[in-house]
Amino acid sequence: MFSTIRSRLFASYVLILVLTLVLLAGVARTILSSTVAPPDFAYNRLELLIASYTVPQPIRGERRPRNDNITLLDIADRLDQFAEVNSVRVVLMNTETGRVIHDTRDVYANANLPDFIQADHSPTRFPPPQTDNQRGNDDDRRNSDNDASYNASSSGGMTFGSFTDEDGTEWLYARVRPRLPLARDDTLSLILAEERTNLSLGSEIGNLAGSIWQPFLRSALIAGLVAFAIALILGRTLTSPLKRLASAAGEVAEGKYPEVPVKGPDEIQQVATAFNRMTSEVQATQQSQRDFLANVSHDLKTPLTSIQGFSQAIMDGAARDPQQAANIIHDEATRLNRMVTELTDLARLQAGRLSMKMESLDIGALVSGIGERLRVVAEKKDITLHVQSANVPSIAGDGDRMVQVMMNIIGNAIKYTPNGGNVWVTTGVERGGIVITVRDDGMGIPKEDLPRIFDRFYQVDKARGPKRGTGLGLAITREILLGHGGDISIDSAGANQGTTVTIWLPSPQLKTLVTRRVSVD
């Protein structure tokens, strides 16, 4: 059901929305149930009762008496009916004397009310609805003044507060000056009161549940639609790059190497960047394997052809100089054996299965000794070999393997430097280790060949015929240095611009010195 990211995103948003609403409802219910409702709810209800003209009116069509025939008893009966219908207490009092004229609870009949505590509550000013008087016939309209009514603008406004009976009952009230069909009604005050209870705020709001239920459902529906839209947008944002990656991965399986655009969120961009780097490396590896097979085929074919040809000539008696033919066969067999040995060593080095005998090595002395051994080779080509081997700390390494490395690097510098050139070999200390630099002013390396210079069987000089090397020397050299914890880099400005080889090897003595220096500091 939720097999796609888009559907899961939508489900997660809906789940988060539902959980959030449930959590908010639970928190709100807890807070509302533990909070006593403020008196403003009661004040608003009382004001609404006054403003809505809900005092019972005579039946439509009934002839209403004139003002001089209206008695206090008639008004009291109507107030009693109003109080009973609306479940409130109504008190009519004389404003000048402060005495109660009528109390629907008969508590303060012809007595003074207790002290009023006025509250800081402003009237809401509910607009009065149209009454039966306003909807009745002309006779009703002419006699509408016979009813008790309230007009905020003409009565001097409305006040709110509380008072307490002698038995301790507290009442919340709304007080106005009514317009009654009595003489001197401007001295009267009409008080609507409601017994104060300790109802929670949740109970008060619960009374409005019927009014807020539909808006709540509409809000939840709108929130769900918004969540659905957000899920669609985010789902498309996330799934589109992933679909491109999936399509590109399928093309890689078919032997193609596309580059996907780096777009979308940071994580998707990182995946796209890693994918592009992977395809580049896979493409380079595929090319390296193809070159490896081509070079191995060529390098094996040449000596095997020579061996087969000269051995056949010897067997047929067609060789002019059998001794020379035998020497060629021996040289080619030796070259094949060396190639197989180097391939075996390289495979073991890369697999970490070639053991090395680590011991303390004096790199300065080792480089000087190799320089003296190769100086004769350099002099034959009229090449000046400059060796400046400083007194550097010893390293931990395999002496035979390090000799193999230096012979290969310095030998290549002499080999690829034309007659009359120069080769410089120096040693020094850098980055907490030993640095060996071999620089020449020879034929150099093209920029496009530098990235693949350490590949197996890769050779820059591809036109040397049978005299060229196996193309494994630099690959073996790097693996030996990596096995010593070191590194090697080759740089060249281009063809005929010379080459610089830099070798770095860690030194336990320098590491100890650095550690001690940091501790002392």
Side-chain angles (χ1 to χ4, degrees):
M1 181 177 180
F2 300 108
S3 59
T4 63
I5 294 180
R6 186 174 301 176
S7 61
R8 293 184 181 183
L9 279 175
F10 175 70
S12 64
Y13 276 113
V14 171
L15 179 61
I16 292 174
L17 179 62
V18 171
L19 292 178
T20 302
L21 291 176
V22 171
L23 180 62
L24 288 177
V27 173
R29 182 176 182 180
T30 302
I31 295 176
L32 293 177
S33 61
S34 60
T35 304
V36 177
D40 300 84
F41 287 93
Y43 294 150
N44 291 335
R45 282 195 297 270
L46 295 174
E47 181 185 358
L48 181 60
L49 287 175
I50 294 174
S52 62
Y53 292 90
T54 56
V55 175
Q57 305 294 329
I59 300 175
R60 180 178 302 177
E62 178 184 346
R63 181 83 179 171
R64 295 181 183 138
R66 294 184 178 272
N67 290 353
D68 53 1
N69 294 326
I70 294 295
T71 65
L72 182 61
L73 182 59
D74 295 326
I75 297 298
D77 289 340
R78 295 185 181 183
L79 294 179
D80 289 339
Q81 294 178 32
F82 176 76
E84 182 180 357
V85 170
N86 295 284
S87 300
V88 293
R89 179 179 182 180
V90 182
V91 178
L92 186 65
M93 65 175 291
N94 189 304
T95 305
E96 292 182 352
T97 63
R99 298 186 69 81
V100 175
I101 298 175
H102 181 71
D103 182 4
T104 57
R105 290 294 180 100
D106 294 328
V107 176
Y108 295 103
N110 200 24
N112 291 330
L113 281 175
D115 294 335
F116 291 105
I117 301 175
Q118 189 167 341
D120 185 16
H121 179 80
S122 300
T124 309
R125 303 302 176 107
F126 294 104
Q130 193 177 25
T131 65
D132 289 341
N133 299 328
Q134 297 167 317
R135 292 190 298 265
N137 52 33
D138 294 339
D139 184 64
D140 292 334
R141 295 192 186 94
R142 286 193 300 268
N143 294 282
S144 61
D145 289 340
N146 295 336
D147 301 319
S149 60
Y150 159 66
N151 188 309
S153 60
S154 63
S155 63
M158 182 182 298
T159 59
F160 303 89
S162 63
F163 64 89
T164 305
D165 290 340
E166 292 181 357
D167 60 357
T169 304
E170 185 178 1
W171 295 85
L172 301 175
Y173 72 85
R175 178 178 177 178
V176 295
R177 288 184 178 181
R179 187 169 68 250
L180 295 172
L182 293 172
R184 294 187 56 81
D185 60 358
D186 58 339
T187 63
L188 300 179
S189 290
L190 183 65
I191 300 173
L192 264 66
E194 180 180 303
E195 185 177 349
R196 184 166 191 170
T197 61
N198 291 325
L199 291 177
S200 65
L201 188 59
S203 299
E204 292 284 2
I205 296 178
N207 296 328
L208 304 175
S211 302
I212 65 175
W213 183 247
Q214 290 184 353
F216 178 79
L217 288 180
R218 287 196 295 268
S219 301
L221 178 60
I222 294 174
L225 293 176
V226 171
F228 179 73
I230 293 176
L232 288 179
I233 295 173
L234 291 182
R236 184 174 301 174
T237 303
L238 292 176
T239 56
S240 295
L242 293 178
K243 287 182 179 179
R244 288 196 296 267
L245 285 172
S247 177
E251 293 183 19
V252 172
E254 296 174 358
K256 303 176 183 178
Y257 303 98
E259 182 176 353
V260 297
V262 182
K263 296 180 180 179
D266 293 341
E267 293 79 3
I268 299 296
Q269 292 185 18
Q270 293 175 4
V271 174
T273 302
F275 180 85
N276 291 334
R277 184 170 61 249
M278 179 197 70
T279 55
S280 298
E281 293 178 357
V282 169
Q283 187 175 9
T285 301
Q286 293 287 344
Q287 184 63 38
S288 177
Q289 290 180 350
R290 287 192 291 268
D291 293 344
F292 173 76
L293 292 175
N295 291 329
V296 168
S297 300
H298 183 274
D299 287 345
L300 291 177
K301 182 179 180 180
T302 301
L304 288 175
T305 300
S306 298
I307 292 173
Q308 184 179 11
F310 283 104
S311 61
Q312 186 66 41
I314 293 175
M315 288 187 297
D316 294 341
R320 297 181 180 179
D321 188 350
Q323 183 63 37
Q324 182 181 5
N327 290 335
I328 294 175
I329 292 174
H330 180 269
D331 291 341
E332 294 296 345
T334 302
R335 182 165 178 262
L336 283 175
N337 183 65
R338 185 172 69 252
M339 185 184 302
V340 172
T341 302
E342 290 179 348
L343 278 173
T344 303
D345 290 345
L346 180 59
R348 290 179 178 176
L349 284 168
Q350 291 178 337
R353 296 197 302 266
L354 187 63
S355 60
M356 295 186 185
K357 183 180 180 181
M358 295 296 186
E359 57 186 2
S360 179
L361 293 179
D362 186 348
I363 284 294
L366 186 144
V367 170
S368 297
I370 294 176
E372 292 300 323
R373 291 170 58 182
L374 294 177
R375 196 178 299 276
V376 177
V377 179
E379 290 176 352
K380 288 183 178 180
K381 294 186 60 177
D382 194 22
I383 294 174
T384 304
L385 180 61
H386 308 273
V387 179
Q388 298 178 354
S389 181
N391 186 17
V392 295
S394 60
I395 68 166
D398 188 317
D400 293 338
R401 295 297 177 183
M402 289 307 303
V403 168
Q404 180 181 354
V405 168
M406 297 313 303
M407 289 288 291
N408 186 37
I409 298 300
I410 300 176
N412 282 344
I414 296 173
K415 181 178 180 180
Y416 295 111
T417 299
N419 295 346
N422 295 274
V423 175
W424 295 269
V425 181
T426 60
T427 60
V429 176
E430 185 178 323
R431 293 181 289 137
I434 307 302
V435 176
I436 306 169
T437 304
V438 179
R439 181 171 61 89
D440 63 68
D441 55 2
M443 61 184 298
I445 302 174
K447 289 290 186 181
E448 62 272 14
D449 291 325
L450 284 175
R452 302 189 56 196
I453 199 67
F454 293 107
D455 290 354
R456 294 171 296 178
F457 288 103
Y458 188 80
Q459 298 184 24
V460 177
D461 185 11
K462 301 178 178 63
R464 288 184 173 269
K467 294 184 178 180
R468 64 179 180 173
T470 61
L472 297 170
L474 289 178
I476 293 175
T477 295
R478 184 178 65 172
E479 293 299 328
I480 292 175
L481 293 174
L482 291 176
H484 284 76
D487 195 9
I488 182 173
S489 62
I490 298 179
D491 188 29
S492 177
N496 301 319
Q497 299 295 319
T499 303
T500 301
V501 180
T502 304
I503 298 173
W504 181 86
L505 291 165
S507 173
Q509 294 184 12
L510 290 176
K511 184 176 181 180
T512 303
L513 290 174
V514 171
T515 303
R516 289 179 179 177
R517 186 175 301 170
V518 171
S519 300
V520 171
D521 293 342

